[in-house]
Amino acid sequence: MTTAHLPHTSSSARSATPPAPFGTDVTWTNWGGNQSATPAFTVRPRTEQEALDAVRFAIREGLPVRAVGSGHSSSPLVQTGGVLMDMSALSGITGTDPVRRRARALAGTTINAFGDPLWEQGLALANQGDIDKQQIAGALSTSTHGSGKDLGSFSSSLRWVKLINGYGEIVEIGEGQLRELRAAQVALGTLGIFLEVELAVEDRYYLQEQITYPTWDETTATWQSDIDANRHYSFLWCPEEGSCELLDLPGAPGLSMANRSYTKRYNIAQIQDEQISGTEGARLDRSYRIYPGGFTTPFHELEYFVPNEVGLSAVEAVQDLIRTKHPDQKYPVEVRWVKADEGYMSQFPGRDTTVITLTTEPGTDYWQFFRDADSVLQDFEPRAHWGKIHFMTRSRLERLYPELDTFIQVRREFDPRGIFLNDHTRALLG
Ligand SMILES: Cc1cc2nc3c(=O)[nH]c(=O)nc-3n(C[C@H](O)[C@H](O)[C@H](O)COP(=O)(O)OP(=O)(O)OC[C@H]3O[C@@H](n4cnc5c(N)ncnc54)[C@H](O)[C@@H]3O)c2cc1C
């Protein structure tokens, strides 16, 4: 994406035609290559003031505004024909509080940029997902998560945010405004442009990795004990011998991976003098070095969230679907666990959750598979990952999100004219 810096001058902010160096006619495309847009203007603010100038310009010109983080969402969240704000230059840790276990960062800070600075202060993020390339505001906006039955999503750790609202003002939301904070925790970019956030973090910790390759019967036999006994437990069930390689994962040496699981267990290890180990399948290292995988080859995903009580049944329903109707789907099915939280539009309010991720190959016609998976999973009251392909509608949200009306009220208070909506988010949250 070609971008331009926005000048910080009040005269430029007043002009009807945006002065150079606004970017124009730039096509934006996401990581997976399945979403693109040609915004009227693309801006890359370097300061809060430049971000504010961009939003005020959009308000005067009657243009909608969307922010883009690292572009790793495969749902149509970022598209706009108005002003696209590339937040990557607003990056960096702005403060840490080891006593209260808090960290502040600019909105465009990528997750991997938290690792070293937090560690030096004796702190670490409580959990992380499969990659660490997302910007923190992007991760928060879709309730990005890792795995661990006692661990919440990134959004559940948000304690304060500074943002630009739809009036073109900079406002703050803290723990004294729980109603607004729970809306901001997962907002899909619709409350405004996040500038800076504060997260609850943990004392730093080392993780011991353990990779195993059980058969499906062995996976189900220890289902609950694995969930309960490990800080992080997750697995990728492989329908075919070659499934692991599709995600660049090493298969089991000397064993066919067909109907086996590639399981990951990460538990806290007490070590001295940084005795880290790079042994494959048994790494021991600082937490933030253990979590992220590679995933350099693009793929498209659908990810649904069901209550733990029906997690195993839901996974088996998906396996049946693949075996009986979509045997051409060879990617592993990933299964993870996330603790309940209170964000109004989070996938996790009120229920400890089993996460089921279906991965497909770009360029193939996977739509019937995703539609069938959506249909099969309806029996389990699924919520959906906002940053992945899904089939959620407003009426489904009304059934599944008890605080949907509260979220929409808060959204309208922050952005009464809906300048931060696009077609996708208007249909869901307008
Ligand atoms: C390879 C890969 C691995 C992944 N692994 C996981 C995983 O393990 N767990 C998981 O839960 N998800 C995972 N995801 C999904 C990913 O975490 C989410 O889609 C996340 O939102 C992407 O962050 P981003 O910075 O790329 O945001 P984008 O995709 O660029 O944007 C996402 C949303 O955030 C909004 N936004 C971004 N910045 C701001 C801002 N400053 N102010 C207001 N709104 C903003 C955008 O408008 C948009 O609505 C993965 C995706 C990929 C491609």
Side-chain angles (χ1 to χ4, degrees), residues 308-351:
N308 275 352
E309 297 71 37
V310 294
L312 176 55
S313 306
V315 173
E316 290 184 329
V318 168
Q319 291 175 324
D320 282 349
L321 177 69
I322 292 172
R323 287 189 184 113
T324 57
K325 206 168 166 195
H326 295 283
D328 49 327
Q329 294 300 329
K330 303 186 189 325
Y331 275 83
V333 174
E334 187 173 20
V335 182
R336 291 176 280 182
W337 286 267
V338 182
K339 189 180 166 195
D341 65 23
E342 295 176 309
Y344 296 147
M345 294 313 300
S346 154
Q347 296 89 329
F348 314 105
R351 61 194 210 189

Side-chain angles (χ1 to χ4, degrees), residues 209-215 219 233-238 244 248-252 257 259-266 280-281 283 295 332-335:
E209 171 194 59
Q210 184 193 13
I211 305 291
T212 59
Y213 307 92
T215 62
T219 308
Y233 173 65
S234 65
F235 67 80
L236 295 103
W237 171 74
C238 295
C244 266
D248 304 323
L249 296 168
M257 281 305 291
N259 204 27
R260 281 183 188 274
S261 308
Y262 176 100
T263 69
K264 300 193 264 187
R265 297 177 186 80
Y266 305 150
E280 186 152 321
R283 293 173 301 151
F295 301 119
V333 174
E334 187 173 20
V335 182

Side-chain angles (χ1 to χ4, degrees), residues 26 38 254 316 366 392:
V26 174
T38 307
E316 290 184 329
Y366 47 74
M392 297 301 273

Side-chain angles (χ1 to χ4, degrees), residues 28 30-32 66-75 77-78 85 87 107-108 111 128-131 133-146 187-190 192-195 294-297 299 301 303 305 334 336 347 385-388 425:
W28 167 84
N30 70 334
W31 177 87
R66 292 294 287 169
V68 61
S70 298
H72 275 59
S73 296
S74 45
S75 54
L77 280 174
V78 164
M85 297 189 50
M87 301 301 288
I111 292 169
Q128 295 181 212
D130 285 344
I131 60 163
K133 307 267 192 302
Q134 308 95 320
Q135 292 178 19
I136 189 62
L140 290 165
S141 298
T142 63
S143 203
T144 289
H145 60 87
L188 291 73
T190 67
I193 303 298
F194 283 23
L195 297 170
F295 301 119
T296 47
T297 311
F299 48 70
E301 289 186 324
E303 184 169 295
F305 301 76
E334 187 173 20
R336 291 176 280 182
Q347 296 89 329
H385 196 306
W386 299 122
K388 304 194 182 187
T425 51

Side-chain angles (χ1 to χ4, degrees), residues 63-349:
L63 291 169
V65 183
R66 292 294 287 169
V68 61
S70 298
H72 275 59
S73 296
S74 45
S75 54
L77 280 174
V78 164
Q79 276 87 338
T80 181
V83 175
L84 181 64
M85 297 189 50
D86 167 0
M87 301 301 288
S88 54
L90 278 173
S91 170
I93 304 296
T94 50
T96 51
D97 183 339
V99 177
R100 291 173 60 240
R101 298 196 189 93
R102 294 294 170 89
R104 282 194 181 194
L106 297 178
T109 310
T110 50
I111 292 169
N112 57 22
F114 282 73
D116 288 334
L118 261 57
W119 193 268
E120 282 158 19
Q121 299 301 315
L123 298 170
L125 296 171
N127 200 10
Q128 295 181 212
D130 285 344
I131 60 163
D132 59 6
K133 307 267 192 302
Q134 308 95 320
Q135 292 178 19
I136 189 62
L140 290 165
S141 298
T142 63
S143 203
T144 289
H145 60 87
S147 189
K149 81 168 178 59
D150 295 322
L151 302 169
S153 69
F154 279 100
S155 296
S156 68
S157 70
L158 182 71
R159 296 291 181 270
W160 169 89
V161 55
K162 179 162 58 171
L163 72 154
I164 305 171
N165 65 16
Y167 296 95
E169 304 163 339
I170 293 182
V171 295
E172 298 179 31
I173 302 172
E175 289 172 90
Q177 300 136 284
L178 261 194
R179 174 175 168 272
E180 290 76 13
L181 188 65
R182 286 179 180 160
Q185 280 174 330
V186 188
L188 291 73
T190 67
L191 281 200
I193 303 298
F194 283 23
L195 297 170
E196 190 178 357
V197 299
E198 181 178 300
L199 306 179
V201 295
E202 291 201 355
D203 290 340
R204 70 188 192 185
Y205 54 100
Y206 293 90
L207 286 177
Q208 171 72 63
E209 171 194 59
Q210 184 193 13
I211 305 291
T212 59
Y213 307 92
T215 62
W216 180 244
D217 283 347
E218 289 165 348
T219 308
T220 57
T222 56
W223 184 272
Q224 196 57 48
S225 57
D226 272 324
I227 298 168
D228 290 339
N230 296 288
R231 186 180 193 276
H232 168 117
Y233 173 65
S234 65
F235 67 80
L236 295 103
W237 171 74
C238 295
E240 294 253 332
E241 178 154 4
S243 298
C244 266
E245 287 92 83
L246 294 172
L247 289 179
D248 304 323
L249 296 168
L255 292 173
S256 165
M257 281 305 291
N259 204 27
R260 281 183 188 274
S261 308
Y262 176 100
T263 69
K264 300 193 264 187
R265 297 177 186 80
Y266 305 150
N267 286 297
I268 289 184
Q270 309 296 340
I271 64 172
Q272 291 176 354
D273 306 326
E274 289 246 304
Q275 292 166 327
I276 59 175
S277 152
T279 310
E280 186 152 321
R283 293 173 301 151
L284 170 60
D285 210 333
R286 297 179 182 185
S287 54
Y288 63 91
R289 294 174 181 159
I290 293 289
Y291 291 116
F295 301 119
T296 47
T297 311
F299 48 70
H300 298 161
E301 289 186 324
L302 170 146
E303 184 169 295
Y304 276 12
F305 301 76
V306 303
N308 275 352
E309 297 71 37
V310 294
L312 176 55
S313 306
V315 173
E316 290 184 329
V318 168
Q319 291 175 324
D320 282 349
L321 177 69
I322 292 172
R323 287 189 184 113
T324 57
K325 206 168 166 195
H326 295 283
D328 49 327
Q329 294 300 329
K330 303 186 189 325
Y331 275 83
V333 174
E334 187 173 20
V335 182
R336 291 176 280 182
W337 286 267
V338 182
K339 189 180 166 195
D341 65 23
E342 295 176 309
Y344 296 147
M345 294 313 300
S346 154
Q347 296 89 329
F348 314 105

